[in-house]
Amino acid sequence: MDWEDVELAARHQILTCAELESLGVTKRMIWARVRTGGPWRRILPGVVMLRNGTPTRAQALEAALRYAGKEAVVTGLAAARLHGLEKFSPTEQVHVLVPHRHRRTNKGYVIVERTTRMPPIVTRGGFPTADVTRAVLDAARRMDESARVQALLAEAVQRGRTTPDRLREELEAGSDRGSALPRAALTAITEGARSVAEGWGMRVAARSGLPPMRWNVRLRTGSGLVLPSPDGWIDDVALAMEVDSLEHHLAPDDYRRTLERHNIMTAHGIVVVHVVPSQLRTEPDKVIAHLRESYRHAARRPRPDIVAQW
């Protein structure tokens, strides 16, 4: 047995006990090195880190895959992070998919999901990973807060990592279990909401009794000048609603861009209503009253020559 061979065989310093034994390390030697105060650490049943201390994120991922077996694939939030998504609370859990015939169970920080629908594998950060569409929906099915679900799916779509059509196809192909919140979030995204706050805005606007509000439309003047795209738009009176994502302490550049958008739209005769996310959540009736009054104001003046596309 050559300790150098052991180190070379260990990806991210992680090996299973079976792999160690195949390299000539006896069970007794393994036990001696992982005991309290020893130089190694047993991370999961049958999985050893060839050093002591807290594993890195890469070591935790590698250990989860070694524990789950050679065909295991990272999915859920762990995979979403590997795909570069970040608008969710970090978690130490690692969600992996394994073929249905496998008999591994959840252990420690590892969620093992047996499936008859193993996804195509893409490599991210050196790890076998489910494609982003499958990964975010696997995560969403286990969430119980609609805002978290919509934030995750909206980020994946907004960053161009997937599309509403691909998300819908994956939802239809999978189990109905845990699909209610992702379906609702996908409906809002399909209708134009690019964020959780815009989803709240949709629901509030729908209660206003006003003509339908379109979302993230493209605007131009009759002469062809392109204008900023508002969050919400009521076309018959050229009324825009802007959901300002940051309520306090806007960075100077963010504040400047908000003012520029407002000034350009109002200079072309558009009536602009600004709301912040907390108002949509806690004061929807006030927002509705403001929308109605702004609509009446917009209806009293001649409609400006603005063309909207959605």
Side-chain angles (χ1 to χ4, degrees):
M1 187 270 295
D2 188 327
W3 289 112
E4 186 174 340
D5 290 341
V6 172
E7 290 286 347
L8 289 173
R11 189 170 181 266
H12 298 295
Q13 295 184 296
I14 302 294
L15 284 172
T16 65
C17 291
E19 289 168 331
L20 284 166
E21 290 180 47
S22 73
L23 292 167
V25 184
T26 65
K27 286 185 174 65
R28 183 171 181 175
M29 293 170 70
I30 296 171
W31 178 86
R33 297 180 78 83
V34 300
R35 73 183 188 279
T36 303
W40 292 353
R41 176 179 172 184
R42 191 188 306 274
I43 297 181
L44 291 163
V47 183
V48 171
M49 179 171 67
L50 305 188
R51 69 175 184 84
N52 213 325
T54 303
T56 65
R57 185 60 181 172
Q59 288 169 329
L61 286 168
E62 184 67 26
L65 289 167
R66 299 264 181 164
Y67 166 75
K70 290 183 179 179
E71 296 178 88
V73 175
V74 181
T75 191
L77 292 180
R81 186 189 295 186
L82 289 170
H83 281 288
L85 303 184
E86 56 189 24
K87 292 183 179 178
F88 52 85
S89 300
T91 175
E92 297 305 315
Q93 288 186 328
V94 176
H95 184 178
V96 296
L97 299 173
V98 298
H100 196 268
R101 66 182 181 275
H102 286 211
R103 290 294 179 264
R104 285 294 192 196
T105 58
N106 298 348
K107 186 64 66 173
Y109 65 89
V110 184
I111 299 171
V112 180
E113 181 177 342
R114 296 163 55 218
T115 180
T116 57
R117 297 179 55 251
M118 289 295 290
I121 296 175
V122 293
T123 301
R124 291 291 182 270
F127 297 100
T129 307
D131 65 277
V132 70
T133 302
R134 177 68 177 271
V136 296
L137 286 175
D138 281 346
R141 289 175 187 275
R142 292 174 175 268
M143 293 177 175
D144 56 9
E145 295 179 22
S146 59
R148 292 182 64 211
V149 172
Q150 187 165 332
L152 178 62
L153 301 190
E155 183 187 5
V157 171
Q158 193 171 1
R159 286 180 173 238
R161 308 298 171 83
T162 188
T163 66
D165 284 344
R166 290 206 292 269
L167 288 167
R168 188 176 296 104
E169 289 171 7
E170 177 59 36
L171 266 177
E172 295 304 324
S175 167
D176 282 341
R177 182 166 54 95
S179 66
L181 292 181
R183 287 183 192 281
L186 185 55
T187 297
I189 291 168
T190 302
E191 291 176 358
R194 297 178 300 193
S195 69
V196 174
E198 286 183 17
W200 293 332
M202 278 184 179
R203 290 190 283 275
V204 171
R207 290 176 45 204
S208 68
L210 298 175
M213 182 172 284
R214 305 288 183 173
W215 293 83
N216 300 305
V217 300
R218 294 186 298 277
L219 300 181
R220 60 177 176 82
T221 64
S223 62
L225 177 66
V226 176
L227 302 178
S229 176
D231 296 322
W233 176 256
I234 298 181
D235 191 62
D236 68 332
V237 297
L239 171 68
M241 184 168 83
E242 290 278 79
V243 181
D244 298 328
S245 59
L246 298 178
E247 300 184 32
H248 305 289
H249 310 298
L250 281 167
D253 284 347
D254 294 329
Y255 184 60
R256 177 179 54 78
R257 283 191 290 268
T258 297
L259 283 179
E260 285 178 356
R261 288 169 56 84
H262 175 88
N263 291 339
I264 291 170
M265 285 191 280
T266 56
H268 287 86
I270 297 170
V271 174
V272 183
V273 176
H274 288 272
V275 298
V276 293
S278 63
Q279 289 177 293
L280 296 170
R281 293 196 314 274
T282 64
E283 300 178 308
D285 291 340
K286 287 186 178 181
V287 174
I288 288 171
H290 188 30
L291 279 173
R292 288 171 176 168
E293 178 58 34
S294 298
Y295 182 88
R296 287 192 289 269
H297 170 70
R300 286 194 291 267
R301 57 62 162 127
R303 186 189 185 286
D305 187 14
I306 303 296
V307 180
Q309 294 178 305
W310 55 79

